[in-house]
Amino acid sequence: MLFPPTIAGSLPKPGWLAETEKLWPKWKLEGGALEQAKRDAALIWIKLQEEAGIATVSDGEQFRTHFVHGFLETIEGIDWDLKTKMGIRNNRYVVDVPTVTAPPKRSRPVHRDEAAFCREHATGHLKFTLPGPMTICDTLADGHYGRRADMAMAFAEILNEEALELEAAGCDVIQFDEPAFNAFMDDACEWGIATLERAARGLKCRTAVHICYGYGIEANIEWKKTLGDEWRQYEQIFPAINASKIDQVSLECANSHVPISLIELLPDKELLVGSIDVASNKIETPEEVASVIETALGHADAERIQPCTNCGLAPLSREVAEGKLRALGAGAELARKRFG
C-alpha cells in the first residue's frame, strides 16, 4: 500500500478506565478488573484504527498511564519515594521526579503479554512504543551514575531486552519515543543515538524513533511560541539519525513551523510524516491530510512516506481522536488516488 497510515502512539483512555483528557490520568479500577479493562480499551482502539484505515495500529498506550513512567513502574533500581525536583526538556517545566539509586533491572517482562494480546486481535501490522533512553533520563533524577550518558546506556540495555520480547510476541514495528532529542541536540548526536541503537540491537522487525515538539499541553504550546517562525531543531540531528541503523523517523509536520524540506536530510529512512495536529481539537479534513502528503512528496519518494499523527492523542477527547483517525485514513486514501 502506498502511504500506509500509522499513529505516533498514545490514544485517549476511555472514561471507564481512567481519567480523561489528562496526560497523567489515574486508573479508576484496580487488580484483575484493571488488567481486563486495559485489554478491553486496547481492543476497542485497535478496531477503531482498523476501521479508520490505519495500516499499522498500536495499543494506544492503554496499558500504561504515561509513555515513560508507565514502562518504568516495575523496573528495579528506581526509588519512587525519593523525589527530586528537576527541569524536564531542558527546563521547559519543573516537576518532582523519581530517583535512580542503582543499576536498572527488569523484574519481569513489562508489555510482552499485552503485545501478544494485541497481536491476537490486530489483523494488520502492529506497532508497540517504548520510551527512548535519553527521554527516560530526562524524566528521572540520577542518584547513582553521575553521567547522564552512562545512565541512558544502562536503560538502553533493559529496553533492548523488552524490545526483543515484543518482537517475539508478534510486533511488526518497535518505536522508541525520543522527544528529548529536540531539547538536547548536541547530546543526541554525541551519545543519544548510540543509546538508541543499543536499545534496538538485534531487532529484525522495523524500528522507529519518534521525535516531536511534544503533546498539545500548555507547557509545550507556550514553549513553541519561543521557537520563532521556523523550527529547525531537526536540522541538527537528522544527518546523524540518517546514519543510524533505525529504519523509520516520526516527525511533526501538520500546522507546525518545521520546514518540511528538512526531510531531505533523511534520504535513507522511511518517513512517518505528521499529518494530524495534536495541539488542536479541530478535526482535519481528508483534503488537509492529503495536502501535507503532497508537500512531503516534493522532498521524498512516495514509497518512503507514511502519514502519521504529529504526536500522541492521549490528552484529547475520544470523539476528537476518533475523528482525527478517520481523517488520517481518508486523507491517505485520497493521496493514493491522486498520486499513486
Side-chain angles (χ1 to χ4, degrees), residues 121-274:
H121 293 283
T123 60
H125 289 163
L126 175 66
K127 171 195 288 188
F128 217 95
T129 65
L130 294 171
M134 174 177 274
T135 297
I136 286 178
C137 291
D138 193 41
T139 51
L140 294 174
D142 179 11
H144 177 73
Y145 286 94
R147 184 171 177 265
R148 185 174 279 196
D150 294 336
M151 185 165 78
M153 190 60 76
F155 277 101
E157 292 172 1
I158 64 170
L159 283 167
N160 184 242
E161 295 172 4
E162 180 75 13
L164 290 168
E165 290 181 348
L166 293 176
E167 179 184 51
C171 292
D172 302 287
V173 182
I174 305 295
Q175 176 180 295
F176 298 94
D177 295 334
E178 283 288 22
F181 274 18
N182 257 1
F184 305 100
M185 283 81 73
D186 290 338
D187 286 345
C189 295
E190 183 179 341
W191 53 264
I193 292 171
T195 62
L196 176 64
E197 288 186 315
R198 177 63 184 91
R201 181 183 296 176
L203 291 172
K204 297 179 177 61
C205 66
R206 308 304 287 168
T207 57
V209 59
H210 171 63
I211 311 163
C212 72
Y213 291 79
Y215 280 109
I217 59 175
E218 190 63 28
N220 288 332
I221 292 172
E222 290 302 312
W223 171 67
K224 292 176 185 180
K225 293 178 181 178
T226 70
L227 299 179
D229 294 334
E230 281 194 339
W231 304 348
R232 306 195 69 93
Q233 283 78 7
Y234 291 146
E235 190 170 38
Q236 187 171 342
I237 57 178
F238 274 2
I241 291 175
N242 190 67
S244 76
K245 298 177 182 178
I246 302 299
D247 299 309
Q248 303 177 345
V249 181
S250 169
L251 65 151
E252 185 170 3
C253 295
N255 287 345
S256 78
H257 295 281
V258 176
I260 203 165
S261 60
L262 294 182
I263 64 176
E264 294 179 8
L265 299 174
L266 296 166
D268 302 315
K269 302 302 177 188
E270 296 169 10
L271 303 169
L272 278 54
V273 174

Side-chain angles (χ1 to χ4, degrees), residues 84-102:
T84 303
K85 193 173 293 294
M86 191 173 88
I88 304 298
R89 306 292 185 270
N90 202 14
N91 298 314
R92 195 180 312 167
Y93 43 99
V94 178
V95 294
D96 292 322
V97 301
T99 305
V100 175
T101 56

Side-chain angles (χ1 to χ4, degrees), residues 35 38-39 63-64 70-76 105-117 128-130 157-169:
E35 295 310 309
K38 291 178 181 178
R39 283 165 169 74
F63 296 104
R64 54 189 190 258
F71 170 75
L72 297 174
E73 286 173 351
T74 62
I75 302 300
E76 298 176 359
K105 180 182 178 182
R106 289 192 315 156
S107 59
R108 59 172 176 80
V110 181
H111 294 301
R112 180 196 61 198
D113 295 344
E114 298 158 351
F117 170 84
F128 217 95
T129 65
L130 294 171
E157 292 172 1
I158 64 170
L159 283 167
N160 184 242
E161 295 172 4
E162 180 75 13
L164 290 168
E165 290 181 348
L166 293 176
E167 179 184 51

Side-chain angles (χ1 to χ4, degrees), residues 46-47 50-51 54-55 57 118-126 172:
I46 286 170
K47 295 310 176 186
E50 291 181 342
E51 289 174 3
I54 306 303
V57 304
C118 294
R119 179 67 282 166
E120 180 181 353
H121 293 283
T123 60
H125 289 163
L126 175 66
D172 302 287

